[in-house]
Amino acid sequence: MADVDQVNSHSDEEQSEEEVPKGKDDSESEPESEGKGGDDDDYEPGGKKAARKPKASPKKRKTDDDDDSDEEWGKRKKVAVAKKGAAAGGGRGKKSAFTKSFKLSPELADVVGSDVMPRHEVVKKLWAVIKERELQDPSNKQYAICDDQLLKVIGVKRFRTFGMMKHLKDHFLEAA
């Protein structure tokens, strides 16, 4: 019975080898003369090569006035930028949520020097205070060590400066 199993398994292997490699043998047995032009006998100059498309020439900008004067060019550019800025909403009237001003707590206002300020400006001012007073931890610059005034705002003696906003969120009272 073991001999029969071996014979059957051997015949299965032969069948599977014959079925699977057929795809490989077809691609391996035929030389790829179509794409690479392997045979010299069938070579025809300009035969089956794909024609290259010529590159498109850069388009010329249309202007009302084609003078080459440098002074006029500068003036035209400034006028175009002014028109584009007005049309595209360069001076947006509405502030986004990131630039919205907030009324600050008295403790935070003492540190930054203003009662109303956007959040990103508060962080900038606090970084300036930390650098000015040399409050960064010398052993690990990611941390700051609070002095008495900053301790009232932050609430801990040593804090990670990249997580400053989680300590400051209670000091933003209302949108101004």
Side-chain angles (χ1 to χ4, degrees):
M1 189 85 170
D3 294 331
V4 174
D5 288 339
Q6 288 177 354
V7 171
N8 286 342
S9 66
H10 184 21
S11 63
D12 288 342
E13 287 177 5
E14 287 177 6
Q15 288 175 355
S16 63
E17 284 178 9
E18 290 174 11
E19 290 174 7
V20 174
K22 278 187 181 180
K24 288 182 183 178
D25 288 342
D26 290 344
S27 62
E28 290 175 6
S29 63
E30 293 180 21
E32 295 182 15
S33 60
E34 294 170 14
K36 297 183 181 177
D39 292 340
D40 290 335
D41 298 337
D42 296 337
Y43 177 72
E44 292 179 13
K48 296 181 180 177
K49 288 187 180 179
R52 289 188 181 182
K53 294 180 182 178
K55 291 184 180 179
S57 62
K59 295 181 180 179
K60 227 180 185 184
R61 291 186 182 190
K62 294 181 182 179
T63 58
D64 297 337
D65 193 51
D66 283 337
D67 285 341
D68 289 336
S69 173
D70 290 339
E71 295 169 359
E72 291 177 11
W73 178 82
K75 289 178 186 175
R76 281 185 283 164
K77 187 175 181 182
K78 286 180 185 176
V79 169
V81 168
K83 286 181 184 177
K84 188 183 250 186
R92 292 185 172 93
K94 188 176 181 183
K95 291 185 176 182
S96 70
F98 294 109
T99 59
K100 189 187 299 184
S101 293
F102 287 91
K103 185 172 188 248
L104 306 178
S105 69
E107 297 89 15
L108 185 57
D110 276 346
V111 175
V112 296
S114 178
D115 291 336
V116 177
M117 195 179 285
R119 290 180 294 183
H120 69 278
E121 289 292 329
V122 171
V123 172
K124 276 182 168 181
K125 292 280 187 180
L126 278 176
W127 266 108
V129 166
I130 290 169
K131 298 274 185 165
E132 177 185 312
R133 298 180 189 172
E134 298 177 1
L135 297 177
Q136 274 188 307
D137 190 353
S139 62
N140 191 349
K141 299 279 187 178
Q142 288 185 3
Y143 291 89
I145 300 171
C146 295
D147 60 354
D148 293 333
Q149 188 182 24
L150 201 58
L151 185 60
K152 293 177 187 174
V153 174
I154 302 295
V156 293
K157 185 68 179 165
R158 183 174 180 256
F159 69 98
R160 192 165 183 215
T161 54
F162 299 115
M164 191 183 307
M165 280 303 291
K166 72 179 177 187
H167 298 290
L168 298 176
K169 66 183 176 186
D170 296 333
H171 296 280
F172 294 108
L173 301 179
E174 60 189 38

